[in-house]
Amino acid sequence: MSTCPNCGTNLEGDAKFCASCGYEISPKSINQERDQEYNSTDNAIEPEIVRTPGKPIKERMVAGILAILLGGFGVHKFYLDDMNMGLIYLLFCWTGIPQIIGLIEGVMYLTTTDEEFQERYVK
Ligand SMILES: [Zn+2]
């Protein structure tokens, strides 16, 4: 069953005019009304989706532990979305130097505050 777009009165299946207010019912206006109903149900669902505003929060502890355990392979850099540095660590992992730097960085991550960590290391 359709309703009058003008006054909301229930209409007969093939009514051309609204019996209550005389509004002319065209197939187009009924379709528009259906579209509006469809959109409004979409909007009703939307607030349930939780969105985190701004940049993604990286876990300081996770980055620190990754740097200490897997720092030689640049895993903590990949975790912090620093792909270029991660690749450099990975390229030089056979030298043993990235392991040492990763260990130092891991300790720095773990000893800094969350705010400083986000500011300095998270892009
Ligand atoms: Zn009407």
Side-chain angles (χ1 to χ4, degrees):
M1 193 186 292
S2 57
T3 57
C4 170
N6 192 42
C7 70
T9 305
N10 288 333
L11 300 169
E12 304 286 331
D14 58 353
K16 298 278 191 295
F17 294 89
C18 173
S20 177
C21 70
Y23 187 86
E24 186 182 357
I25 312 300
S26 64
K28 197 184 165 194
S29 67
I30 291 170
N31 282 342
Q32 276 175 348
E33 197 193 15
R34 280 194 192 141
D35 284 349
Q36 279 168 4
E37 275 174 9
Y38 184 75
N39 288 337
S40 66
T41 46
D42 264 4
N43 290 338
I45 295 165
E46 208 161 2
E48 289 174 22
I49 303 163
V50 180
R51 283 184 188 145
T52 4
K55 57 189 174 184
I57 300 294
K58 296 292 183 184
E59 289 291 333
R60 187 169 61 84
M61 295 296 284
V62 174
I65 290 161
L66 284 175
I68 289 166
L69 296 179
L70 299 163
F73 304 104
V75 174
H76 60 300
K77 292 293 184 187
F78 290 117
Y79 177 73
L80 295 172
D81 293 328
D82 196 347
M83 292 299 160
N84 292 333
M85 280 307 286
L87 285 173
I88 290 168
Y89 277 54
L90 201 56
L91 276 175
F92 288 97
C93 67
W94 56 275
T95 64
I97 295 167
Q99 276 92 328
I100 296 162
I101 300 171
L103 190 69
I104 294 164
E105 284 179 320
V107 172
M108 279 164 63
Y109 294 167
L110 295 178
T111 51
T112 190
T113 64
D114 276 326
E115 288 77 21
E116 277 180 343
F117 174 76
Q118 295 296 327
E119 234 169 71
R120 281 188 204 170
Y121 305 113
V122 180
K123 292 196 161 189

